[in-house]
Amino acid sequence: MLITLIVKLAIRSILVINNYKVYGLNIRSEIEIDEFDKLDEILEKNIVNIRYDKISTEIKDKISEGINIQLFQNKIWFHIDNIATYCISNGNDIKVEVCENADMQLMKIYIMCSCLGFIMLQRNMVAIHGGVIEMNNKAVIFTGDRGAGKSTLTTALREKGYKFISDDVASTKIEKVPYVMPGFPYQKLCESAMDNFEYDKEKYTSFMSDKEVKYIIPAKDEFIYEPKQLSAIVKLTVGDVEEVTIEELRGSEKLNNIIENIYRGEYIKYLGGMNPKYFKQCIDIAKNIRFFKITRPLEKFTVDDQIDLIEREVIEIKEVVL
């Protein structure tokens, strides 16, 4: 036991601690994440610690029984076969036990996305599942189901000259009006988007997501490093239409769509349900933004048409109607 403790302390003493600020979170990490911008120092307040550690025997017993995730009010753990086991607790701690011969890039992807998403749920921070682009000096979130075209559209907007705020997670903060906190200056693109924008796949890091290969594309020159007021959310859908259409949602339909598109929101019911503080933030967001739904045809590449509608209907933000 003494030798084991000495070895652990020795390893910890040579680990480099990395400081980051992502999604409005002050992060101190033993695990270096290249996609995050390193900071010399961060505020010594509400820090999220990310560290290598052994997961408890109790959790390992659950995994051996075929259970790969458990959610409690202040503790969430999940296991990804051949990658790692992650334990997220109290809104400030992420422990990672890495599997032997794991894909280390994919191990970090789960930290960057799911783990920080669970941290935000534990902290009552509302995060919308979607990419964020700066338009007219304000943030616009593009959300929608898998395959709706979020990454393709945000990449097209970025390549057209619009600045980029976050890739897949829009972390919000209410300061009289809602703001979106910057993510990190990279996008994750699927193969079809890589082909559409003629990226050379050999030049970029790839990983296998749930169902498809994705590539990590740097976007540092177009990235916004400061919070931006949220002006609109655009939900992308695919439908039985000949041309791209757009409609504005109001009232309870707008609020319901915000709630439906919360990042990792499907797990809220397992954490005791949505508490009043969290629900009020959703209402405050709805009161202060406009919400649009774009429907595109399935078999046509219509990004240019979508951008035309967005520039005509969304950017010219007028009075908000709940």
Side-chain angles (χ1 to χ4, degrees):
M1 290 293 292
L2 180 58
I3 293 175
T4 302
L5 179 58
I6 292 172
V7 170
K8 283 185 176 181
L9 291 173
I11 292 173
R12 196 168 295 278
S13 68
I14 62 175
L15 286 172
V16 176
I17 303 300
N18 305 280
N19 295 322
Y20 307 113
K21 191 174 181 71
V22 180
Y23 305 137
L25 300 167
N26 297 311
I27 298 171
R28 182 168 290 149
S29 178
E30 292 179 357
I31 302 173
E32 185 174 13
I33 300 175
D34 293 335
E35 290 77 16
F36 291 176
D37 281 339
K38 286 186 181 179
L39 302 175
D40 292 333
E41 57 183 24
I42 53 175
L43 292 176
E44 295 290 330
K45 182 180 179 182
N46 295 326
I47 289 175
V48 177
N49 290 293
I50 303 174
R51 53 200 170 95
Y52 293 111
D53 208 341
K54 290 290 185 183
I55 301 301
S56 70
T57 302
E58 179 185 358
I59 291 177
K60 291 182 178 180
D61 288 342
K62 294 291 184 183
I63 295 170
S64 67
E65 295 169 9
I67 298 170
N68 285 330
I69 184 170
Q70 280 194 316
L71 301 99
F72 306 97
Q73 190 72 44
N74 293 308
K75 180 180 177 181
I76 297 165
W77 68 263
F78 65 95
H79 172 76
I80 306 297
D81 287 341
N82 303 315
I83 301 296
T85 304
Y86 305 84
C87 186
I88 304 98
S89 56
N90 300 314
N92 61 18
D93 189 64
I94 299 171
K95 293 191 295 187
V96 183
E97 182 172 341
V98 182
C99 297
E100 188 176 355
N101 299 319
D103 179 333
M104 296 301 284
Q105 181 61 53
L106 188 51
M107 180 275 288
K108 294 177 185 180
I109 293 288
Y110 281 101
I111 295 173
M112 295 156 62
C113 300
S114 293
C115 288
L116 292 182
F118 286 134
I119 286 287
M120 287 186 276
L121 284 180
Q122 290 176 341
R123 290 189 175 205
N124 283 318
M125 295 170 61
V126 176
I128 306 297
H129 187 190
V132 192
I133 296 292
E134 182 199 50
M135 309 184 86
N136 256 10
N137 200 37
K138 292 184 180 180
V140 178
I141 299 173
F142 295 90
T143 189
D145 294 335
R146 183 195 302 271
K150 300 185 294 294
S151 296
T152 299
L153 179 56
T154 53
T155 300
L157 287 164
R158 178 172 59 78
E159 294 214 333
K160 191 172 181 180
Y162 291 103
K163 297 295 185 180
F164 170 63
I165 300 174
S166 190
D167 173 44
D168 203 35
V169 182
S171 171
T172 67
K173 182 178 181 180
I174 307 294
E175 292 181 350
K176 295 185 178 179
V177 295
Y179 285 81
V180 176
M181 304 293 109
F184 50 91
Y186 286 78
Q187 282 189 285
K188 300 184 293 296
L189 297 184
C190 63
E191 282 196 282
S192 60
M194 295 289 287
D195 293 337
N196 286 331
F197 294 103
E198 299 181 348
Y199 283 111
D200 183 349
K201 297 173 190 173
E202 298 296 323
K203 293 182 178 180
Y204 300 98
T205 301
S206 65
F207 66 96
M208 188 67 196
S209 68
D210 293 342
K211 294 185 178 180
E212 60 185 343
V213 175
K214 290 194 174 183
Y215 295 81
I216 300 175
I217 309 300
K220 291 189 175 184
D221 292 341
E222 302 92 353
F223 189 67
I224 296 288
Y225 288 87
E226 60 188 28
K228 287 292 179 177
Q229 183 180 338
L230 177 60
S231 61
I233 298 177
V234 178
K235 180 179 180 179
L236 305 179
T237 63
V238 180
D240 185 18
V241 294
E242 293 294 326
E243 305 294 337
V244 181
T245 63
I246 188 169
E247 63 176 307
E248 184 168 2
L249 306 184
R250 293 185 170 87
S252 61
E253 193 174 13
K254 176 165 63 168
L255 177 60
N256 290 340
N257 271 273
I258 290 171
I259 293 172
E260 287 172 8
N261 288 282
I262 290 170
Y263 187 71
R264 296 293 179 257
E266 66 270 27
Y267 294 108
I268 289 177
K269 61 184 178 182
Y270 300 106
L271 303 175
M274 185 176 293
N275 63 48
K277 179 181 178 181
Y278 196 97
F279 185 62
K280 183 179 184 304
Q281 290 180 80
C282 294
I283 293 174
D284 288 341
I285 292 171
K287 285 181 177 178
N288 286 282
I289 68 160
R290 297 174 79 186
F291 198 114
F292 298 86
K293 183 172 82 169
I294 285 180
T295 305
R296 66 171 178 86
L298 177 60
E299 300 296 339
K300 292 171 65 176
F301 187 70
T302 57
V303 166
D304 290 339
D305 295 334
Q306 293 173 50
I307 291 175
D308 287 343
L309 282 175
I310 290 162
E311 290 180 329
R312 186 167 71 244
E313 302 289 340
V314 178
I315 293 182
E316 294 299 324
I317 302 297
K318 299 175 183 177
E319 182 181 356
V320 173
V321 180
L322 181 59

